[in-house]
């Protein structure tokens, strides 16, 4: 087999190019055209693999590796290329050599959760590698070894569990979990200080054993009710290791499985003995007040003061617990239900959109009022999901150059109609404003939210000013925790009623609102805050009662400060397919997949479908002509981004449009490569059609 050194190895990877350009004449390998066939074939495979792999060739164990391995060894690259492995791994190599000595290279050896001596080789703080070393054979002769490594999953899981335990142990309450057999399956560290038993020793013990017969008799009915699915809150006697009776505030919160069956319940118990004793003392005082008022005045005042302090302390503790639970609930809600919820919304909105189009032709006109109501409700649910994701900083952002002045001017008519004639609108836009590095759709939504809030603060009329400015930060901490650099500010200033200090302090909290029930979710400012922080910026609010409010949004300036931003021209009609254009749709949700396929057919595209990534790979390998890949991000098994990487290896010029209801990795700004775009579920048919047409019109080298 003759090898042309000018074309091998392939430059589809960075390491392929580096290996081709490396001077091998100074090594025992010599020029690449003289390398053994087994080495060339194995190296081609390693370079195409996304996992960290390294060939250790010959007795000297010379290193040849792929891009992923280069990233894993940090500063040791590129010096490790062509060098003996002992040179790169240093003090770590004796451990690996012990795991796979040269005399025993005929077998595969592994190391689990290996922590390198050299911290620069570690994939993360206190996280080790899982390593496998396998022999490379040329016939019956062993000519080298293949080194494979990845970050240890065991260590990462241990750290996550430790963090959860630390949070539970930090809360000033007893926290436990009881299964259907009334046995403890989890306890935080406060159980040890209360009962004198470690959480480990309590595992599997019955509630009766732990709290004693007397306390169990009081709680038995409550336990049965909790296992029947009822949430309970009550006060009850509880034993203590010091032998003194304690009064506790107890909550039982049932836990259900996916079928709604109660599997057990969480226990939260707080010591309220001092408050209970104070209440008892106060009750006794009140009963004999008339006869003892003179002699017990000072004592009563002291007890009352203690009671107030205890009640205030309890209120603070409960508020802290509610806040922690609320923030945890928001994070879990945004991450846990957004994908499936948005899949359902896509089916609802898309289906209703198609029905509306049929109704426009005269079919089933009597159903229009129901369709309008459903569309309104579905869009409200979609807006709420987007706000939750934005607050949790998990909404995918399409960061690009944005001309904020042009954006404000394009929204002027909309803002005037939204505010009404009783509010004067004025814009003070800085000339030569730097372009911002932001998401224009999210920024429009944030600005409209601020305008609506300003309108609600001026029911009797007033003035609204929108201002932009270039901001240069010289020192850290000048505005929040923002780093020094170039920023662009967008301010919305109203002459409304303003905010009290108490309201101002809670303005960014999720679900906090001063509007009447049904007129606000309490997520508007939270969404704006989450969007600004995710985009690398900040939000400030200045307000005084009766003086109005100023909200300023700071966003990073784009790296090219001189770039002229040209706003996208609005589409006048739904763009159709050109002759012969073919699209592959990959979506695990059958309803969404059917909707997209129908839309593509309606627009004139020839569409192929796949329910999961492996089926899509088979189509990609088959050689079927394709112009565009449309894929959900959150696919089972192989996700959409991994599928796109495989597609690009097989078809380098293939354009990729991602759909996402929620995907954590998609929230990062580096998720998309050239020739890729993303659309968030739920979406309308017009938006999908426009986005497809725009992608197919792109020039992709």
């Amino acid at each position: 087999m003759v090898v042309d050194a000018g074309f091998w190895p392939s430059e589809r990877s960075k390491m392929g190019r580096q290996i081709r350009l490396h001077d091998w004449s100074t090594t025992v390998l010599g020029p690449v055209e003289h390398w053994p066939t087994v080495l060339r074939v194995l190296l081609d495979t390693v370079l195409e693999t996304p996992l960290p792999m390294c060939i250790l060739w010959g007795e000297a164990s010379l290193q040849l590796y792929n891009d992923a391995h280069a990233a894993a060894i940090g500063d040791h690259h590129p010096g490790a290329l062509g060098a003996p492995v002992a040179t790169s791994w240093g003090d770590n190599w004796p451990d690996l050599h012990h795991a796979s000595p040269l005399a025993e290279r005929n077998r595969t050896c592994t190391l689990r959760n290996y922590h390198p001596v050299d911290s620069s080789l570690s994939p993360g703080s206190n996280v080790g590698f899982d390593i496998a070393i396998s022999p490379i054979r040329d016939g019956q002769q062993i000519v080298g070894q293949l080194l494979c490594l990845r970050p240890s999953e065991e260590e990462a899981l241990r750290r996550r569990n430790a963090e959860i335990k630390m949070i539970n142990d930090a809360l000033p309450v007893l926290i436990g979990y009881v299964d259907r057999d009334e046995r403890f399956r989890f306890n935080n560290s406060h159980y040890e200080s209360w009962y004198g038993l470690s959480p480990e020793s309590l595992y599997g013990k019955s509630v009766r054993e732990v709290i004693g017969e007397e306390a169990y008799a009081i709680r038995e009915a409550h336990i049965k009710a909790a296992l029947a699915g009822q949430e309970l809150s009550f006060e009850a006697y509880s034993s203590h290791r010091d032998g003194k009776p304690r009064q506790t505030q107890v909550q039982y919160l049932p836990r259900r499985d996916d079928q709604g069956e109660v599997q057990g319940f969480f226990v939260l118990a707080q010591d309220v003995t001092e408050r209970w004793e104070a209440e008892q003392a106060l009750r006794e005082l009140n009963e004999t007040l008339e006869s003892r008022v003179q002699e017990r005045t000072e004592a009563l005042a002291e007890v009352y003061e203690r009671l107030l302090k205890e009640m205030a302390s309890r209120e603070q503790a409960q508020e802290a617990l509610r806040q922690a639970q609320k923030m945890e609930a928001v994070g879990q809600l945004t991450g846990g239900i957004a994908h499936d919820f948005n899949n359902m919304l896509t089916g609802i909105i898309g289906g209703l959109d198609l029905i509306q189009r049929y109704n426009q032709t005269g079919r089933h006109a009597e159903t229009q009022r129901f369709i309008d109501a459903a569309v309104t409700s579905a869009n409200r649910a979609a807006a709420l999901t987007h706000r939750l994701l934005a607050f949790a900083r998990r909404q995918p952002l399409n960061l690009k150059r944005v001309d904020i002045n042009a954006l404000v001017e394009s929204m002027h008519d909309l803002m005037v109609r939204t505010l009404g004639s009783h509010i004067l609108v004025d814009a003070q836009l800085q000339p030569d404003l730097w372009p911002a590095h932001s998401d224009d759709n999210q920024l429009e939504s944030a600005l409209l939210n601020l305008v609506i809030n300003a309108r609600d603060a001026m029911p009797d009329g007033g003035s609204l000013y929108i201002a932009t400015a270039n901001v240069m930060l010289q020192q850290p901490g000048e505005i929040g925790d923002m780093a020094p650099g170039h920023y662009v500010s967008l301010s919305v200033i109203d002459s409304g009623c303003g905010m009290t200090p108490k309201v101002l302090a809670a303005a960014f909290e999720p679900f906090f609102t001063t509007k009447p029930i049904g007129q606000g979710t309490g997520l508007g400012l939270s969404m704006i805050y989450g969007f600004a922080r995710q985009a690398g910026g900040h939000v400030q609010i200045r307000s005084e009662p009766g003086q109005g409010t100023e909200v300023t949004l700071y966003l990073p300036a784009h790296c090219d400060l001189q770039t002229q931003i040209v706003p996208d021209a609005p589409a006048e009609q739904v763009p159709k397919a050109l002759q012969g254009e073919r699209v592959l749709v990959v979506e695990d949700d059958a309803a969404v997949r059917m909707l997209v396929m129908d839309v593509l057919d309606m627009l004139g595209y020839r569409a192929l479908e796949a329910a999961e990534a492996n089926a899509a790979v088979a189509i990609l390998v088959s050689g079927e002509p394709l112009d565009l890949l449309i894929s959900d991000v959150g696919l089972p098994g192989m996700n959409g981004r991994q599928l796109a990487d495989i597609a690009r290896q097989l078809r380098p010029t293939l354009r990729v449009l991602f759909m996402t209801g929620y995907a954590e990795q998609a929230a990062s700004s580096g998720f998309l490569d050239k020739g890729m775009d993303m659309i968030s579920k739920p979406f309308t048919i017009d938006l999908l059609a426009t986005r497809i047409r725009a992608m197919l019109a792109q020039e992709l080298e």
Side-chain angles (χ1 to χ4, degrees), residues 358-432:
Y358 294 152
N359 284 340
Q360 291 172 1
T361 64
R363 292 180 253 177
H364 307 292
E366 68 275 8
T367 65
Q368 189 62 47
R369 65 184 185 276
F370 303 108
I371 294 171
D372 292 341
V375 170
T376 300
S377 299
N379 281 315
R380 288 181 64 188
L384 179 61
T385 302
H386 286 191
R387 290 180 178 181
L388 287 168
L389 289 172
F391 174 71
R393 307 182 202 176
R394 295 179 178 179
Q395 177 79 333
L397 294 183
N398 182 19
L399 298 178
K400 58 184 180 182
R401 296 185 296 271
V402 178
D403 186 342
I404 294 183
N405 281 353
L407 184 145
V408 172
E409 291 172 350
S410 68
M411 294 181 63
H412 182 269
D413 291 343
L414 174 62
M415 289 187 291
V416 170
R417 289 194 300 270
T418 300
L419 291 168
S421 59
H422 63 300
I423 297 177
L424 175 66
V425 183
D426 188 18
Q428 301 175 356
L429 308 180
Q430 177 169 327
D432 301 322

Side-chain angles (χ1 to χ4, degrees), residues 280-299:
Q280 291 293 105
L282 182 59
R283 189 177 295 110
E284 292 176 2
L285 285 171
N286 288 334
E287 290 174 354
T288 59
L289 185 60
E290 291 184 6
S291 62
R292 303 170 58 186
V293 64
Q294 194 64 36
E295 62 184 25
R296 300 294 303 271
T297 300
E298 294 182 3

Side-chain angles (χ1 to χ4, degrees), residues 114-173:
Y114 174 68
H115 292 260
V117 176
D118 184 355
S119 61
S120 67
L121 292 170
S122 177
S125 178
N126 297 321
V127 178
F129 288 108
D130 290 338
I131 299 176
I133 306 176
S134 304
I136 302 172
R137 293 181 174 88
D138 185 3
Q140 297 299 319
Q141 183 181 2
I142 297 176
V143 294
Q145 296 172 292
L146 182 63
L147 174 66
C148 304
L149 67 153
R150 68 176 183 178
S152 172
E153 296 179 359
E154 176 184 341
E155 182 69 15
L157 179 61
R158 185 195 63 77
R159 291 181 63 200
R160 288 195 295 271
N161 290 336
E163 290 174 355
I164 294 173
K165 184 179 183 302
M166 180 182 66
I167 294 172
N168 284 321
D169 290 342
L171 294 175
V173 293

